[in-house]
Amino acid sequence: MNKKFKVSLICASILALTACNDDDTVTVDPNPELEAQIAQLTEQNQQLDETNKGLTEENKNLSDSNKELDEKAASFVSTFQQQCANIGVNFEYQNPNPDTPYVNNGVTTQASLVGVFGMPEIPFEHNEGSTCTSCHTDGHDNGMACDTCHSFAEAPSEPEEPVDPSDPGAPGLPTHPADGDWDSYTGASNVGTFYYNADGASFVNAAFLETRMGKQNTFYEWKEAAEGEGAATLKTACGLENRQFITHKYPEDGKPYTLSSYSNFKGASTFTTHRMENGTPIASSATFGPGMSLEDDGEYYIDLFITKNNTCKNLITNGSGEVHYYEYDTRSNVKKGSPDMGPRNAGARIQVSTDLHKSVLKSFDWSTPVYGGNGQSFDPQAVDWNTVGSCDLKLKVQIIYPLG
C-alpha cells in the first residue's frame, strides 16, 4: 500500500510539472488540483511510514514476548509425559513395579529421582546345561559366585489363578512364631519401643517375604544409542515401546537414545554368622540376594548358592544364622510408615537353621557334589574344606521377627 501511494505521488508530480509544445520547450503549467493531491498523498505516505515503524516495533516486541513465553513454558515441563503432550502425544505414566511405590526416574508430584544401580538380570536360559566357570574363565569374578554379580531370572510360569501383585499377603501378620511373641528371640535393645510391626514397617509374614526377597524392581533410563539407531527426535521417542514406564525427560540434544531397562533387588539380605577362634567368637557379615520359597514339606526355605567363604563355613559348622532383610526409602520422612509411600524402614530379621539333608557342598567346578546330595546328610565336623569350592545351602526359616 505504501508503494502504491509513492507511485501515485510520482505520477501526479510529473503531470503537474511538465508539458510539451511545438518547439520542444519545457514550460511549467501550475495545476492547483494536482498540487493539492500531491500534498495529500505526501501526508498520507508519511503517516503510513510512521504506522509501519510502529507495527515493526510492535511485531518485534511480540516476538520477544513469544520467545519468553516459550522458554517459560519449557521450564514447567519436568516429565517425559509433559514433553510428549506438548507435541500432541498424550499418555499417562504407569509404575512398572505395581507393588512398590517408586516412581521411575524423574520429578513428579509423588517422588523424585530414584538413583540406584544394581546387578543386571540374566535370562533364565543363560547358563542352562552349563556351569558358571564353563562360561566365565577370565577370572573377572575373583572367585565369587555368578549370582554375586548377576541375578538369574526365574523360569516363566503361568499362575493357576490371577494374582494381585499389590496385595501379596498381610506383611504384619506373624507366621514364625505364629503368636508374635518375639521377646525371647530378638535381643533388641529396647523391646518396648523398638518393634514397629504394629506400624506396618516390618514384614513378619513368610508368604509376604517370599514376594520381596530375591525379587527385583525394573526401571527404565535413556541410554545413548549408536548413529542410525534409537530415537533421534522427541516425536519418535514419544512412540517407543514402554514409553509409559519412565518420567525422566527425553534428552533433546540431537543425539539418538534408546529406552533401556535395568533391574535392582527390592531389598538387601545381610547374613550374620560367627565362628570361634581360640575361644573368641568372630562375627561375619555378608550381603547376598537369595529368595525365599515354600517347599513341599510346608516349610519356608532360603536358598543360598555361594562360593566357599566364612558365611558358608559358619552356617555349616554352627547349623544356624541370622538374616536381616531390609528395604530403605530415602525419600520418606516417616520412619515407621506413610499412608502414601510406605515406611522409610521396612523388612524383618530371620533366624534360620541349616538343613544338612538338602544342602550340598560342591567342588570348585560348582557342579560336582563333595558332601551331601540326594537327600543325604553329612557331619559338619568331618568336612575337609580344602576339597570344597562352592556351597548350595538350604536354610530353613525358623523365626521371623520385626526390625528393631
Side-chain angles (χ1 to χ4, degrees):
M1 187 175 179
N2 195 11
K3 290 181 179 180
K4 183 177 178 181
F5 272 103
K6 288 184 177 180
V7 172
S8 300
L9 180 61
I10 294 171
C11 293
S13 300
I14 293 173
L15 291 174
L17 299 177
T18 65
C20 296
N21 59 13
D22 293 338
D23 55 3
D24 296 328
T25 302
V26 178
T27 60
V28 178
D29 183 12
N31 188 327
E33 292 183 1
L34 288 175
E35 289 179 350
Q37 186 179 2
I38 292 171
Q40 183 182 6
L41 291 173
T42 301
E43 183 179 355
Q44 290 179 357
N45 189 59
Q46 291 174 346
Q47 291 175 353
L48 286 173
D49 282 340
E50 291 298 323
T51 302
N52 186 56
K53 290 179 181 179
L55 290 173
T56 301
E57 183 65 26
E58 185 177 352
N59 183 62
K60 182 178 181 303
N61 292 336
L62 287 173
S63 296
D64 292 341
S65 297
N66 187 56
K67 182 179 179 182
E68 291 177 3
L69 288 173
D70 285 343
E71 292 175 351
K72 188 174 183 180
S75 69
F76 285 104
V77 174
S78 60
T79 68
F80 180 49
Q81 286 74 28
Q82 292 171 344
Q83 276 184 303
C84 293
N86 274 352
I87 61 171
V89 181
N90 296 287
F91 59 92
E92 297 294 329
Y93 168 75
Q94 294 181 25
N95 189 348
N97 310 293
D99 59 343
T100 303
Y102 299 151
V103 173
N104 184 75
N105 288 337
V107 179
T108 71
T109 55
Q110 290 179 286
S112 59
L113 176 67
V114 180
V116 288
F117 300 90
M119 299 190 293
E121 184 167 340
I122 306 301
F124 173 73
E125 65 276 5
H126 171 71
N127 69 335
E128 189 174 11
S130 61
T131 64
C132 177
T133 51
S134 67
C135 297
H136 304 286
T137 57
D138 58 355
H140 80 287
D141 55 1
N142 294 318
M144 294 185 295
C146 267
D147 57 2
T148 304
C149 302
H150 303 287
S151 63
F152 291 87
E154 296 180 356
S157 61
E158 292 293 332
E160 295 180 1
E161 296 181 1
V163 177
D164 181 2
S166 64
D167 187 21
L173 180 64
T175 56
H176 296 66
D179 59 5
D181 181 11
W182 299 289
D183 290 358
S184 60
Y185 305 116
T186 64
S189 57
N190 190 338
V191 173
T193 60
F194 271 73
Y195 290 161
Y196 352 124
N197 190 51
D199 300 288
S202 290
F203 304 151
V204 294
N205 188 307
F208 183 84
L209 269 174
E210 183 184 4
T211 68
R212 310 295 295 183
M213 291 185 66
K215 305 301 189 299
Q216 296 186 329
N217 287 323
T218 299
F219 298 97
Y220 290 82
E221 63 182 351
W222 294 112
K223 195 170 184 178
E224 189 173 338
E227 191 67 31
E229 298 179 1
T233 65
L234 175 61
K235 183 178 180 180
T236 303
C238 291
L240 290 175
E241 185 179 4
N242 298 323
R243 63 181 184 173
Q244 71 273 22
F245 295 135
I246 186 171
T247 61
H248 193 67
K249 292 170 60 178
Y250 172 78
E252 295 185 87
D253 56 6
K255 300 178 182 178
Y257 287 86
T258 58
L259 191 53
S260 178
S261 65
Y262 62 95
S263 299
N264 294 316
F265 283 113
K266 296 177 183 292
S269 296
T270 301
F271 286 69
T272 301
T273 58
H274 75 277
R275 66 184 185 277
M276 299 297 294
E277 289 187 5
N278 300 322
T280 302
I282 306 296
S284 177
S285 181
T287 301
F288 304 101
M292 178 188 289
S293 61
L294 177 64
E295 301 206 353
D296 293 339
D297 59 1
E299 299 290 345
Y300 282 90
Y301 289 85
I302 292 176
D303 295 318
L304 191 60
F305 189 28
I306 57 176
T307 189
K308 177 184 67 177
N309 54 25
N310 285 331
T311 298
C312 172
K313 291 180 180 179
N314 296 343
L315 285 170
I316 292 296
T317 302
N318 299 327
S320 63
E322 186 160 331
V323 184
H324 291 180
Y325 177 71
Y326 198 82
E327 297 180 16
Y328 185 72
D329 188 350
T330 58
R331 300 163 301 169
S332 177
N333 63 351
V334 181
K335 184 176 183 179
K336 298 182 180 181
S338 164
D340 299 321
M341 300 179 67
R344 189 178 75 213
N345 307 308
R349 290 177 288 181
I350 308 166
Q351 289 186 10
V352 297
S353 61
T354 308
D355 190 323
L356 295 177
H357 286 86
K358 296 183 178 182
S359 296
V360 183
L361 300 183
K362 298 182 178 182
S363 183
F364 294 93
D365 62 1
W366 291 69
S367 177
T368 306
V370 178
Y371 295 94
N374 297 321
Q376 300 298 314
S377 182
F378 57 91
D379 181 5
Q381 304 302 323
V383 172
D384 179 2
W385 289 100
N386 292 319
T387 65
V388 177
S390 60
C391 309
D392 190 355
L393 306 179
K394 281 281 188 180
L395 308 175
K396 184 179 178 181
V397 174
Q398 298 286 357
I399 301 164
I400 303 174
Y401 55 93
L403 298 176

